[in-house]
Amino acid sequence: MGTTQQEQPAVALDLGLEVGELTAALVDIPSVSGAELPLADAVERELRALPRLRVDRHGNNLVARTGFGLPERVVLAGHLDTVPIADNLPSRVQDGRLYGCGSTDMKSGVAVQLKIAAELGAADGPTPAREVTFVFYDCEEVEAERNGLGHLVREHPDWLAADFAILLEGTDAQIEGGCKGTLRATVRTRGQRAHSARDWLGVNAIHLAAPILTRLAQYQAREADVEGLIYRECLNAVGITGGVAGNVIPDECVVTVNYRFAPDRSEQEAAAHVVEVFEGFDVQITDSAPGAAPGLSLPAAAAFAALVGGTPAAKQGWTDVARFAGSGVPAVNYGPGDATLAHTRQEYVELERITRTLATLRRWLDLG
């Protein structure tokens, strides 16, 4: 993966900061999808300074691995990018919360990764109970074909070989199993152009889209029980385009829909369902990614869930646990952020959740 980003001044990170302070430092380095280079460079510099880690880079994706000769290997993974900034930088702390773009999704998780990497990679660091691979990747918040973890899966699968993976997406420091799949499609209507003063000579494509919106408004979301966790499906319009000029009857209208489907459906089954819902219309699937079943009965996942405690829930969104699962690596979502705050102007993370997540992972790795 190349980059078209212009040269920018180097930014610095200090992995010796307390984990909440490190989160703030990460948040204050803008890294909107496609512009992760300064942050990726800063992370790489810190990782390469740690003598007990092997570091590899592909584009703006970094993989650092321990090599103690232990029989089990786990992955701690997180994405470096954020959605577009919404007047929510620089970061600020108020009432035990760290506010800022990416604070919950998911630079607090990245800060936890970096603190553990700094501890294990130091020359005088401890030996963990398991080998650890740290994965930092780009372009998670955009279309699937740009996803950095997907690039690593396709081009460097050996870097990701492991027995278990933890994706530090926001779960409020609780286990969330699996994830829903996601699919985007366009539903198109075609009419006939005419002057708007003589509309009887044309066919208004925007008006023809009314039944599409009616079907969406009346759609009954399916709930699916998958291995004891309940996933609720969602089908929504997320965009609509049409119109030529203020005095022209439009001859085309396109409604973009997003279908979030339970992991008991394949991508092909999800696509067939969307085509069925919009029978009679021109439907084109433009992007999709599969879901992942919880897999919490697998030994590594069960052991981690037992340590975390509480009752695991279904991940009601899409995450890259699906990519790990598709590569044969069981994975769970566990991180300090709150998914309900992701992508919002008021995005924040509870500082206590960050320290709790770090403490739990240190205990699981037997770091004291």
Side-chain angles (χ1 to χ4, degrees):
M1 289 172 57
T3 178
T4 60
Q5 300 172 69
Q6 296 180 349
E7 290 295 323
Q8 301 181 44
V11 295
L13 285 175
D14 179 1
L15 301 192
L17 293 172
E18 181 272 331
V19 68
E21 296 173 337
L22 179 57
T23 302
L26 291 167
V27 169
D28 288 337
I29 303 173
S31 57
V32 175
S33 303
E36 300 94 331
L37 180 62
L39 180 55
D41 285 348
V43 170
E44 181 182 20
R45 281 192 296 273
E46 296 304 310
L47 293 175
R48 290 199 183 277
L50 299 168
R52 299 201 301 174
L53 292 181
R54 171 179 173 175
V55 181
D56 292 292
R57 179 166 180 167
H58 177 78
N60 288 328
N61 307 293
L62 296 156
V63 179
R65 289 169 283 175
T66 63
F68 299 108
L70 303 172
E72 183 182 13
R73 179 173 292 277
V74 299
V75 171
L76 300 181
H79 61 83
L80 298 174
D81 63 319
T82 72
V83 296
I85 297 163
D87 300 319
N88 50 357
L89 286 185
S91 64
R92 61 185 175 88
V93 174
Q94 181 179 340
D95 299 327
R97 296 170 172 173
L98 173 67
Y99 289 81
C101 183
S103 54
T104 204
D105 185 17
M106 59 171 293
K107 291 184 176 180
S108 51
V110 171
V112 171
Q113 291 175 261
L114 287 171
K115 290 298 292 183
I116 295 175
E119 186 172 4
L120 295 184
D124 57 352
T127 299
R130 301 164 173 85
E131 299 285 1
V132 185
T133 297
F134 302 93
V135 181
F136 306 89
Y137 59 101
D138 67 353
C139 289
E140 190 272 349
E141 300 288 6
V142 288
E143 58 269 28
E145 67 181 16
R146 294 174 60 190
N147 184 292
L149 185 62
H151 289 207
L152 292 175
V153 167
R154 290 189 295 272
E155 300 180 43
H156 297 285
D158 54 309
W159 293 1
L160 305 176
D163 302 289
F164 180 55
I166 298 171
L167 184 65
L168 279 91
E169 285 278 13
T171 66
D172 221 14
Q174 295 293 324
I175 294 285
E176 290 187 353
C179 70
K180 292 192 287 192
T182 181
L183 176 152
R184 276 179 286 275
T186 57
V187 188
R188 191 181 308 268
T189 60
R190 292 181 173 85
Q192 181 175 322
R193 287 196 194 189
H195 196 295
S196 61
R198 291 177 288 278
D199 61 357
W200 61 88
L201 297 178
V203 178
N204 195 310
I206 294 177
H207 294 180
L208 294 178
I212 298 172
L213 302 181
T214 298
R215 292 185 197 184
L216 285 165
Q218 296 176 345
Y219 183 76
Q220 296 296 308
R222 168 180 174 258
E223 290 188 352
D225 184 326
V226 182
E227 299 177 12
L229 300 185
I230 304 299
Y231 297 84
R232 181 172 179 176
E233 297 192 334
C234 306
L235 179 63
N236 291 284
V238 294
I240 185 166
T241 59
V244 180
N247 59 354
V248 177
I249 298 300
D251 59 352
E252 183 175 81
C253 181
V254 178
V255 180
T256 301
V257 299
N258 181 210
Y259 179 38
R260 299 299 179 117
F261 54 95
D264 61 344
R265 287 193 198 266
S266 68
E267 290 178 271
Q268 293 74 24
E269 290 168 334
H273 177 67
V274 170
V275 170
E276 180 183 17
V277 169
F278 299 108
E279 182 180 2
F281 291 95
D282 177 5
V283 180
Q284 298 293 324
I285 308 301
T286 60
D287 184 42
S288 72
L296 293 175
S297 62
L298 297 170
F304 182 65
L307 176 68
V308 173
T311 302
K315 170 57 77 176
Q316 297 296 349
W318 183 90
T319 74
D320 278 301
V321 297
R323 296 192 190 279
F324 285 110
S327 301
V329 179
V332 298
N333 305 280
Y334 176 75
D338 180 347
T340 66
L341 298 169
H343 304 183
T344 65
R345 287 182 179 272
Q346 68 272 23
E347 181 179 359
Y348 67 82
V349 62
E350 299 279 356
L351 291 171
E352 182 275 334
R353 298 291 194 276
I354 310 176
T355 57
R356 185 198 304 181
T357 301
L358 177 59
T360 297
L361 289 173
R362 291 188 72 256
R363 190 164 68 251
W364 185 57
L365 294 170
D366 198 19
L367 300 180

Short mmCIF file of all heavy atoms in Angstrom, two decimals, residues 41-97:
data_model
loop_
_atom_site.label_atom_id
_atom_site.label_comp_id
_atom_site.label_asym_id
_atom_site.label_seq_id
_atom_site.Cartn_x
_atom_site.Cartn_y
_atom_site.Cartn_z
N ASP A 41 3.70 6.51 11.81
CA ASP A 41 5.14 6.74 11.96
C ASP A 41 5.53 6.86 13.44
O ASP A 41 6.55 6.31 13.87
CB ASP A 41 5.54 8.01 11.23
CG ASP A 41 5.59 7.85 9.71
OD1 ASP A 41 5.53 6.71 9.23
OD2 ASP A 41 5.70 8.89 9.02
N ALA A 42 4.72 7.58 14.21
CA ALA A 42 5.03 7.76 15.63
C ALA A 42 4.97 6.43 16.37
O ALA A 42 5.84 6.13 17.20
CB ALA A 42 4.05 8.76 16.25
N VAL A 43 3.96 5.63 16.08
CA VAL A 43 3.85 4.31 16.72
C VAL A 43 5.02 3.43 16.33
O VAL A 43 5.61 2.74 17.17
CB VAL A 43 2.50 3.65 16.36
CG1 VAL A 43 2.47 2.20 16.82
CG2 VAL A 43 1.33 4.43 16.97
N GLU A 44 5.38 3.46 15.05
CA GLU A 44 6.51 2.63 14.60
C GLU A 44 7.80 3.01 15.32
O GLU A 44 8.57 2.13 15.74
CB GLU A 44 6.69 2.76 13.09
CG GLU A 44 7.84 1.89 12.58
CD GLU A 44 8.09 2.05 11.09
OE1 GLU A 44 7.65 3.06 10.50
OE2 GLU A 44 8.73 1.14 10.51
N ARG A 45 8.07 4.31 15.45
CA ARG A 45 9.30 4.72 16.13
C ARG A 45 9.36 4.17 17.55
O ARG A 45 10.41 3.69 18.00
CB ARG A 45 9.39 6.25 16.16
CG ARG A 45 9.87 6.88 14.86
CD ARG A 45 10.22 8.35 15.04
NE ARG A 45 9.05 9.14 15.40
CZ ARG A 45 8.22 9.67 14.51
NH1 ARG A 45 8.42 9.50 13.22
NH2 ARG A 45 7.19 10.39 14.91
N GLU A 46 8.24 4.23 18.26
CA GLU A 46 8.23 3.73 19.64
C GLU A 46 8.39 2.22 19.69
O GLU A 46 9.11 1.69 20.55
CB GLU A 46 6.92 4.15 20.33
CG GLU A 46 6.76 5.65 20.49
CD GLU A 46 7.94 6.27 21.23
OE1 GLU A 46 8.31 5.76 22.32
OE2 GLU A 46 8.51 7.25 20.72
N LEU A 47 7.75 1.51 18.79
CA LEU A 47 7.85 0.05 18.79
C LEU A 47 9.26 -0.42 18.44
O LEU A 47 9.79 -1.36 19.03
CB LEU A 47 6.84 -0.55 17.81
CG LEU A 47 5.36 -0.38 18.15
CD1 LEU A 47 4.49 -0.93 17.02
CD2 LEU A 47 5.01 -1.07 19.47
N ARG A 48 9.89 0.25 17.47
CA ARG A 48 11.23 -0.18 17.06
C ARG A 48 12.28 0.12 18.12
O ARG A 48 13.36 -0.46 18.09
CB ARG A 48 11.60 0.48 15.73
CG ARG A 48 10.78 -0.04 14.55
CD ARG A 48 11.44 0.25 13.22
NE ARG A 48 10.61 -0.19 12.11
CZ ARG A 48 10.56 -1.43 11.65
NH1 ARG A 48 11.31 -2.38 12.21
NH2 ARG A 48 9.78 -1.75 10.61
N ALA A 49 11.95 0.97 19.05
CA ALA A 49 12.89 1.26 20.15
C ALA A 49 12.84 0.20 21.24
O ALA A 49 13.64 0.24 22.18
CB ALA A 49 12.56 2.63 20.75
N LEU A 50 11.93 -0.77 21.12
CA LEU A 50 11.77 -1.82 22.13
C LEU A 50 12.52 -3.06 21.68
O LEU A 50 12.15 -3.70 20.69
CB LEU A 50 10.29 -2.13 22.33
CG LEU A 50 9.45 -0.93 22.83
CD1 LEU A 50 7.97 -1.22 22.72
CD2 LEU A 50 9.83 -0.59 24.27
N PRO A 51 13.59 -3.45 22.37
CA PRO A 51 14.50 -4.49 21.87
C PRO A 51 13.91 -5.90 21.81
O PRO A 51 14.41 -6.73 21.06
CB PRO A 51 15.67 -4.44 22.86
CG PRO A 51 15.12 -3.84 24.10
CD PRO A 51 14.07 -2.86 23.63
N ARG A 52 12.85 -6.16 22.56
CA ARG A 52 12.33 -7.53 22.57
C ARG A 52 11.10 -7.70 21.68
O ARG A 52 10.38 -8.69 21.80
CB ARG A 52 11.99 -7.95 24.00
CG ARG A 52 13.21 -7.95 24.93
CD ARG A 52 13.00 -8.84 26.16
NE ARG A 52 11.85 -8.42 26.95
CZ ARG A 52 11.38 -9.10 28.00
NH1 ARG A 52 11.98 -10.23 28.36
NH2 ARG A 52 10.35 -8.65 28.68
N LEU A 53 10.91 -6.79 20.75
CA LEU A 53 9.82 -6.92 19.79
C LEU A 53 10.37 -6.95 18.37
O LEU A 53 11.29 -6.20 18.04
CB LEU A 53 8.85 -5.73 19.90
CG LEU A 53 8.00 -5.61 21.16
CD1 LEU A 53 7.10 -4.38 21.05
CD2 LEU A 53 7.17 -6.85 21.41
N ARG A 54 9.79 -7.81 17.55
CA ARG A 54 10.06 -7.77 16.11
C ARG A 54 8.95 -6.94 15.48
O ARG A 54 7.76 -7.19 15.71
CB ARG A 54 10.06 -9.17 15.51
CG ARG A 54 10.13 -9.14 13.99
CD ARG A 54 10.16 -10.50 13.35
NE ARG A 54 10.05 -10.39 11.91
CZ ARG A 54 10.15 -11.41 11.07
NH1 ARG A 54 10.38 -12.64 11.55
NH2 ARG A 54 10.02 -11.22 9.77
N VAL A 55 9.33 -5.96 14.68
CA VAL A 55 8.36 -5.03 14.10
C VAL A 55 8.39 -5.12 12.59
O VAL A 55 9.46 -5.06 11.98
CB VAL A 55 8.64 -3.58 14.55
CG1 VAL A 55 7.61 -2.62 13.96
CG2 VAL A 55 8.64 -3.49 16.08
N ASP A 56 7.21 -5.27 11.99
CA ASP A 56 7.07 -5.26 10.53
C ASP A 56 6.03 -4.21 10.16
O ASP A 56 5.09 -3.93 10.91
CB ASP A 56 6.62 -6.62 10.02
CG ASP A 56 7.68 -7.69 10.19
OD1 ASP A 56 8.72 -7.61 9.51
OD2 ASP A 56 7.47 -8.60 11.02
N ARG A 57 6.21 -3.64 8.96
CA ARG A 57 5.29 -2.60 8.50
C ARG A 57 4.89 -2.85 7.06
O ARG A 57 5.71 -3.22 6.22
CB ARG A 57 5.92 -1.21 8.64
CG ARG A 57 5.00 -0.08 8.15
CD ARG A 57 5.49 1.27 8.60
NE ARG A 57 4.60 2.35 8.12
CZ ARG A 57 4.64 3.59 8.55
NH1 ARG A 57 5.53 3.95 9.49
NH2 ARG A 57 3.81 4.50 8.07
N HIS A 58 3.62 -2.65 6.79
CA HIS A 58 3.08 -2.72 5.43
C HIS A 58 2.15 -1.53 5.27
O HIS A 58 1.09 -1.48 5.88
CB HIS A 58 2.32 -4.04 5.23
CG HIS A 58 1.69 -4.15 3.87
ND1 HIS A 58 2.41 -4.47 2.74
CD2 HIS A 58 0.40 -3.98 3.46
CE1 HIS A 58 1.59 -4.50 1.70
NE2 HIS A 58 0.38 -4.21 2.10
N GLY A 59 2.56 -0.55 4.47
CA GLY A 59 1.78 0.68 4.37
C GLY A 59 1.73 1.36 5.72
O GLY A 59 2.75 1.58 6.37
N ASN A 60 0.56 1.69 6.18
CA ASN A 60 0.39 2.29 7.49
C ASN A 60 -0.09 1.26 8.51
O ASN A 60 -0.75 1.61 9.50
CB ASN A 60 -0.59 3.47 7.43
CG ASN A 60 0.02 4.66 6.74
OD1 ASN A 60 1.21 4.89 6.81
ND2 ASN A 60 -0.82 5.43 6.05
N ASN A 61 0.25 0.00 8.29
CA ASN A 61 -0.12 -1.09 9.17
C ASN A 61 1.13 -1.66 9.83
O ASN A 61 2.13 -1.92 9.16
CB ASN A 61 -0.84 -2.19 8.38
CG ASN A 61 -2.00 -1.63 7.58
OD1 ASN A 61 -2.98 -1.18 8.15
ND2 ASN A 61 -1.88 -1.65 6.26
N LEU A 62 1.07 -1.82 11.15
CA LEU A 62 2.23 -2.26 11.93
C LEU A 62 1.90 -3.52 12.71
O LEU A 62 0.81 -3.65 13.28
CB LEU A 62 2.63 -1.16 12.92
CG LEU A 62 3.10 0.15 12.28
CD1 LEU A 62 2.91 1.30 13.24
CD2 LEU A 62 4.56 0.03 11.87
N VAL A 63 2.84 -4.44 12.72
CA VAL A 63 2.72 -5.68 13.49
C VAL A 63 3.99 -5.85 14.31
O VAL A 63 5.09 -5.89 13.75
CB VAL A 63 2.50 -6.89 12.57
CG1 VAL A 63 2.39 -8.17 13.39
CG2 VAL A 63 1.24 -6.71 11.72
N ALA A 64 3.84 -5.96 15.62
CA ALA A 64 4.98 -6.17 16.52
C ALA A 64 4.74 -7.47 17.28
O ALA A 64 3.64 -7.71 17.78
CB ALA A 64 5.11 -5.00 17.49
N ARG A 65 5.80 -8.31 17.38
CA ARG A 65 5.63 -9.63 17.97
C ARG A 65 6.72 -9.94 18.99
O ARG A 65 7.89 -9.60 18.79
CB ARG A 65 5.68 -10.70 16.87
CG ARG A 65 4.48 -10.72 15.94
CD ARG A 65 4.69 -11.59 14.73
NE ARG A 65 5.54 -10.91 13.74
CZ ARG A 65 5.97 -11.47 12.62
NH1 ARG A 65 5.67 -12.73 12.36
NH2 ARG A 65 6.71 -10.79 11.78
N THR A 66 6.29 -10.58 20.07
CA THR A 66 7.25 -11.11 21.03
C THR A 66 7.77 -12.44 20.51
O THR A 66 7.16 -13.07 19.65
CB THR A 66 6.62 -11.31 22.41
OG1 THR A 66 5.57 -12.30 22.31
CG2 THR A 66 6.03 -10.02 22.96
N GLY A 67 8.87 -12.91 21.08
CA GLY A 67 9.45 -14.19 20.67
C GLY A 67 10.11 -14.90 21.82
O GLY A 67 11.33 -15.10 21.82
N PHE A 68 9.32 -15.29 22.81
CA PHE A 68 9.85 -15.94 24.00
C PHE A 68 9.88 -17.47 23.90
O PHE A 68 10.35 -18.14 24.81
CB PHE A 68 9.04 -15.54 25.24
CG PHE A 68 9.05 -14.06 25.52
CD1 PHE A 68 7.92 -13.28 25.29
CD2 PHE A 68 10.20 -13.44 26.00
CE1 PHE A 68 7.93 -11.92 25.56
CE2 PHE A 68 10.21 -12.08 26.25
CZ PHE A 68 9.08 -11.32 26.03
N GLY A 69 9.34 -18.01 22.82
CA GLY A 69 9.30 -19.47 22.67
C GLY A 69 8.17 -20.13 23.43
O GLY A 69 8.24 -21.33 23.72
N LEU A 70 7.11 -19.40 23.73
CA LEU A 70 5.97 -19.93 24.46
C LEU A 70 5.00 -20.64 23.50
O LEU A 70 4.94 -20.32 22.31
CB LEU A 70 5.25 -18.80 25.20
CG LEU A 70 6.13 -18.01 26.18
CD1 LEU A 70 5.38 -16.79 26.71
CD2 LEU A 70 6.57 -18.90 27.33
N PRO A 71 4.22 -21.61 24.01
CA PRO A 71 3.40 -22.43 23.12
C PRO A 71 2.14 -21.76 22.58
O PRO A 71 1.56 -22.22 21.60
CB PRO A 71 3.03 -23.63 23.99
CG PRO A 71 3.08 -23.11 25.39
CD PRO A 71 4.20 -22.10 25.39
N GLU A 72 1.68 -20.70 23.22
CA GLU A 72 0.42 -20.06 22.80
C GLU A 72 0.67 -18.61 22.42
O GLU A 72 1.46 -17.92 23.07
CB GLU A 72 -0.60 -20.10 23.95
CG GLU A 72 -1.97 -19.53 23.58
CD GLU A 72 -2.94 -19.53 24.75
OE1 GLU A 72 -2.51 -19.76 25.90
OE2 GLU A 72 -4.14 -19.28 24.51
N ARG A 73 0.00 -18.18 21.34
CA ARG A 73 0.15 -16.79 20.88
C ARG A 73 -1.21 -16.14 20.76
O ARG A 73 -2.16 -16.73 20.22
CB ARG A 73 0.88 -16.73 19.54
CG ARG A 73 1.04 -15.28 19.00
CD ARG A 73 1.91 -15.21 17.77
NE ARG A 73 3.30 -15.52 18.06
CZ ARG A 73 4.19 -14.64 18.53
NH1 ARG A 73 3.82 -13.38 18.75
NH2 ARG A 73 5.44 -15.01 18.76
N VAL A 74 -1.30 -14.90 21.27
CA VAL A 74 -2.54 -14.13 21.16
C VAL A 74 -2.24 -12.81 20.45
O VAL A 74 -1.12 -12.32 20.47
CB VAL A 74 -3.14 -13.85 22.55
CG1 VAL A 74 -3.50 -15.15 23.25
CG2 VAL A 74 -2.21 -13.02 23.41
N VAL A 75 -3.27 -12.29 19.81
CA VAL A 75 -3.18 -11.01 19.11
C VAL A 75 -3.97 -9.96 19.90
O VAL A 75 -5.09 -10.22 20.34
CB VAL A 75 -3.77 -11.11 17.68
CG1 VAL A 75 -3.88 -9.72 17.06
CG2 VAL A 75 -2.92 -12.01 16.81
N LEU A 76 -3.38 -8.79 20.07
CA LEU A 76 -4.09 -7.61 20.55
C LEU A 76 -4.13 -6.63 19.38
O LEU A 76 -3.07 -6.19 18.91
CB LEU A 76 -3.39 -6.98 21.74
CG LEU A 76 -3.23 -7.85 23.00
CD1 LEU A 76 -2.54 -7.07 24.11
CD2 LEU A 76 -4.56 -8.40 23.48
N ALA A 77 -5.31 -6.32 18.89
CA ALA A 77 -5.43 -5.55 17.64
C ALA A 77 -6.28 -4.31 17.83
O ALA A 77 -7.24 -4.29 18.62
CB ALA A 77 -6.03 -6.42 16.54
N GLY A 78 -5.92 -3.26 17.07
CA GLY A 78 -6.71 -2.03 17.08
C GLY A 78 -6.41 -1.19 15.87
O GLY A 78 -5.31 -1.22 15.32
N HIS A 79 -7.39 -0.40 15.44
CA HIS A 79 -7.18 0.46 14.26
C HIS A 79 -6.77 1.86 14.68
O HIS A 79 -7.18 2.38 15.73
CB HIS A 79 -8.42 0.48 13.37
CG HIS A 79 -9.68 1.02 13.99
ND1 HIS A 79 -9.96 2.37 14.07
CD2 HIS A 79 -10.75 0.40 14.55
CE1 HIS A 79 -11.13 2.55 14.63
NE2 HIS A 79 -11.64 1.36 14.95
N LEU A 80 -5.95 2.48 13.84
CA LEU A 80 -5.40 3.80 14.10
C LEU A 80 -6.29 4.94 13.61
O LEU A 80 -6.12 6.08 14.04
CB LEU A 80 -4.03 3.94 13.44
CG LEU A 80 -2.93 2.98 13.90
CD1 LEU A 80 -1.68 3.17 13.03
CD2 LEU A 80 -2.60 3.19 15.37
N ASP A 81 -7.21 4.65 12.71
CA ASP A 81 -7.96 5.73 12.08
C ASP A 81 -9.21 6.09 12.88
O ASP A 81 -9.67 5.35 13.75
CB ASP A 81 -8.35 5.36 10.65
CG ASP A 81 -9.27 4.16 10.56
OD1 ASP A 81 -9.05 3.18 11.30
OD2 ASP A 81 -10.21 4.18 9.73
N THR A 82 -9.73 7.27 12.55
CA THR A 82 -10.98 7.75 13.13
C THR A 82 -11.90 8.23 12.02
O THR A 82 -11.48 8.42 10.87
CB THR A 82 -10.74 8.93 14.10
OG1 THR A 82 -10.40 10.10 13.33
CG2 THR A 82 -9.65 8.63 15.11
N VAL A 83 -13.15 8.45 12.39
CA VAL A 83 -14.07 9.14 11.47
C VAL A 83 -13.66 10.61 11.40
O VAL A 83 -12.82 11.07 12.18
CB VAL A 83 -15.52 8.99 11.95
CG1 VAL A 83 -15.96 7.54 11.92
CG2 VAL A 83 -15.71 9.58 13.34
N PRO A 84 -14.23 11.38 10.47
CA PRO A 84 -13.86 12.80 10.38
C PRO A 84 -14.08 13.56 11.69
O PRO A 84 -15.04 13.30 12.43
CB PRO A 84 -14.78 13.32 9.27
CG PRO A 84 -14.99 12.13 8.39
CD PRO A 84 -15.07 10.96 9.33
N ILE A 85 -13.18 14.48 11.94
CA ILE A 85 -13.23 15.28 13.17
C ILE A 85 -14.47 16.18 13.14
O ILE A 85 -14.83 16.74 12.10
CB ILE A 85 -11.94 16.12 13.28
CG1 ILE A 85 -10.73 15.19 13.41
CG2 ILE A 85 -12.00 17.09 14.46
CD1 ILE A 85 -9.41 15.86 13.12
N ALA A 86 -15.12 16.27 14.30
CA ALA A 86 -16.37 17.03 14.38
C ALA A 86 -16.24 18.14 15.43
O ALA A 86 -17.00 18.18 16.40
CB ALA A 86 -17.53 16.10 14.73
N ASP A 87 -15.27 19.01 15.24
CA ASP A 87 -14.99 20.08 16.21
C ASP A 87 -14.74 19.51 17.60
O ASP A 87 -15.08 20.13 18.61
CB ASP A 87 -16.15 21.08 16.27
CG ASP A 87 -16.40 21.76 14.93
OD1 ASP A 87 -15.40 22.11 14.27
OD2 ASP A 87 -17.56 21.94 14.56
N ASN A 88 -14.14 18.29 17.65
CA ASN A 88 -13.90 17.65 18.95
C ASN A 88 -12.43 17.30 19.16
O ASN A 88 -12.10 16.26 19.71
CB ASN A 88 -14.80 16.43 19.14
CG ASN A 88 -14.78 15.46 17.97
OD1 ASN A 88 -14.12 15.70 16.96
ND2 ASN A 88 -15.50 14.36 18.11
N LEU A 89 -11.55 18.17 18.70
CA LEU A 89 -10.13 18.16 19.03
C LEU A 89 -9.73 19.60 19.37
O LEU A 89 -10.30 20.54 18.81
CB LEU A 89 -9.29 17.64 17.85
CG LEU A 89 -9.32 16.15 17.55
CD1 LEU A 89 -8.32 15.83 16.43
CD2 LEU A 89 -9.02 15.31 18.77
N PRO A 90 -8.74 19.77 20.26
CA PRO A 90 -7.97 18.76 20.97
C PRO A 90 -8.80 18.09 22.07
O PRO A 90 -9.92 18.50 22.37
CB PRO A 90 -6.81 19.57 21.57
CG PRO A 90 -7.40 20.92 21.78
CD PRO A 90 -8.32 21.14 20.62
N SER A 91 -8.21 17.06 22.66
CA SER A 91 -8.89 16.33 23.72
C SER A 91 -9.00 17.19 24.98
O SER A 91 -8.28 18.17 25.15
CB SER A 91 -8.12 15.05 24.04
OG SER A 91 -6.84 15.35 24.56
N ARG A 92 -9.91 16.79 25.85
CA ARG A 92 -10.04 17.45 27.15
C ARG A 92 -10.56 16.44 28.16
O ARG A 92 -11.25 15.47 27.79
CB ARG A 92 -10.99 18.65 27.08
CG ARG A 92 -12.41 18.29 26.67
CD ARG A 92 -13.28 19.53 26.49
NE ARG A 92 -14.61 19.18 25.98
CZ ARG A 92 -15.64 18.86 26.75
NH1 ARG A 92 -15.50 18.84 28.08
NH2 ARG A 92 -16.81 18.56 26.23
N VAL A 93 -10.22 16.64 29.41
CA VAL A 93 -10.67 15.77 30.49
C VAL A 93 -11.65 16.53 31.36
O VAL A 93 -11.40 17.67 31.76
CB VAL A 93 -9.49 15.26 31.33
CG1 VAL A 93 -9.98 14.46 32.54
CG2 VAL A 93 -8.55 14.41 30.48
N GLN A 94 -12.77 15.89 31.64
CA GLN A 94 -13.78 16.50 32.51
C GLN A 94 -14.56 15.41 33.23
O GLN A 94 -15.05 14.46 32.59
CB GLN A 94 -14.75 17.35 31.68
CG GLN A 94 -15.83 18.06 32.49
CD GLN A 94 -16.74 18.91 31.62
OE1 GLN A 94 -16.39 19.28 30.50
NE2 GLN A 94 -17.92 19.22 32.14
N ASP A 95 -14.62 15.49 34.54
CA ASP A 95 -15.40 14.56 35.36
C ASP A 95 -15.04 13.11 35.09
O ASP A 95 -15.92 12.23 34.97
CB ASP A 95 -16.91 14.77 35.12
CG ASP A 95 -17.37 16.16 35.50
OD1 ASP A 95 -16.80 16.73 36.46
OD2 ASP A 95 -18.29 16.69 34.84
N GLY A 96 -13.75 12.83 34.99
CA GLY A 96 -13.30 11.46 34.81
C GLY A 96 -13.46 10.92 33.41
O GLY A 96 -13.31 9.71 33.18
N ARG A 97 -13.78 11.80 32.47
CA ARG A 97 -13.96 11.39 31.08
C ARG A 97 -12.98 12.13 30.18
O ARG A 97 -12.75 13.33 30.35
CB ARG A 97 -15.39 11.69 30.61
CG ARG A 97 -16.46 10.91 31.35
CD ARG A 97 -17.84 11.43 31.01
NE ARG A 97 -18.88 10.59 31.57
CZ ARG A 97 -20.18 10.87 31.54
NH1 ARG A 97 -20.59 12.01 30.97
NH2 ARG A 97 -21.06 10.05 32.08
#
